[in-house]
Amino acid sequence: AAAAAAQPAASASSRSAGEASEAPKGTVDARTIVIDDTFSCSPASLFEALVQEDRVQAYTQSPAKINPKVNGEYSVFGGNVQGYFTELIPNEKIALKWRFKSWTEGHFSDVVITLTGDESSTKLKLQQTGVPTEDFERAQVGWRTQQFERMKMILGFGSHIGFSL
């Protein structure tokens, strides 16, 4: 089963996780998304599904522009999610600057996706820092429902359940 944890982003001021506070002018009050999930495929297959434009368009069922190289464009859901790659280690790691189009101009979160596994199963860990608090749930639910669950259904990367007669 997939587990998600939310942690407040580290900041210079000390405050408890449940306390609301106003961010200093020019900064964004942000949180961190952590998602762990398992896919029934090899790390190579999952890596390709995350960075190949035609595969992303297949499971998101929306326009995407993806150029999988450092500083290459990452645009999905018809441009509503934008960014660029900062690091790519084939079959192991994807790092992105990532933002919703609606965010304050110039504000990007940092996404790091790591993949570990074998030919039949891959563990994915996503950590996204700098997510504006008001969009935390939207981003977290989006990764799960608009990306990972769709990959499992459409690309066949979901759990394989055996039936015996």
Side-chain angles (χ1 to χ4, degrees):
Q7 300 132 5
S11 71
S13 64
S14 61
R15 62 186 166 116
S16 70
E19 253 181 82
S21 76
E22 220 172 282
K25 201 144 188 86
T27 64
V28 175
D29 189 23
R31 294 179 65 190
T32 296
I33 294 171
V34 176
I35 297 174
D36 293 292
D37 207 339
T38 302
F39 294 79
S40 296
C41 64
S42 68
S45 293
L46 188 54
F47 184 87
E48 289 172 6
L50 291 163
V51 301
Q52 287 185 353
E53 189 173 290
D54 60 336
R55 295 186 61 114
V56 172
Q57 289 181 130
Y59 65 78
T60 63
Q61 299 175 348
S62 65
K65 292 181 184 172
I66 297 176
N67 184 3
K69 64 180 189 178
V70 173
N71 294 320
E73 179 180 12
Y74 179 84
S75 173
V76 294
F77 302 107
N80 287 307
V81 172
Q82 309 166 338
Y84 58 93
F85 293 98
T86 57
E87 184 179 10
L88 290 156
I89 301 172
N91 312 331
E92 293 178 21
K93 183 178 180 184
I94 300 166
L96 297 159
K97 291 288 188 179
W98 187 103
R99 69 188 306 273
F100 281 125
K101 184 168 85 172
S102 61
W103 286 359
T104 302
E105 188 63 37
H107 179 77
F108 286 84
S109 63
D110 291 297
V111 174
V112 176
I113 297 171
T114 55
L115 308 174
T116 55
D118 56 34
E119 284 305 306
S120 63
S121 180
T122 300
K123 290 184 190 282
L124 174 147
K125 179 171 185 150
L126 176 141
Q127 182 168 326
Q128 182 175 11
T129 58
V131 178
T133 300
E134 65 270 13
D135 273 327
F136 174 81
E137 187 173 337
R138 176 180 167 208
Q140 183 179 46
V141 168
W143 281 112
R144 288 196 176 289
T145 62
Q146 303 303 311
Q147 299 256 356
F148 303 152
E149 288 176 14
R150 286 176 175 229
M151 290 171 77
K152 289 177 179 184
M153 288 186 301
I154 294 169
L155 301 179
F157 292 170
S159 298
H160 296 287
I161 300 170
F163 294 97
S164 59
L165 299 176

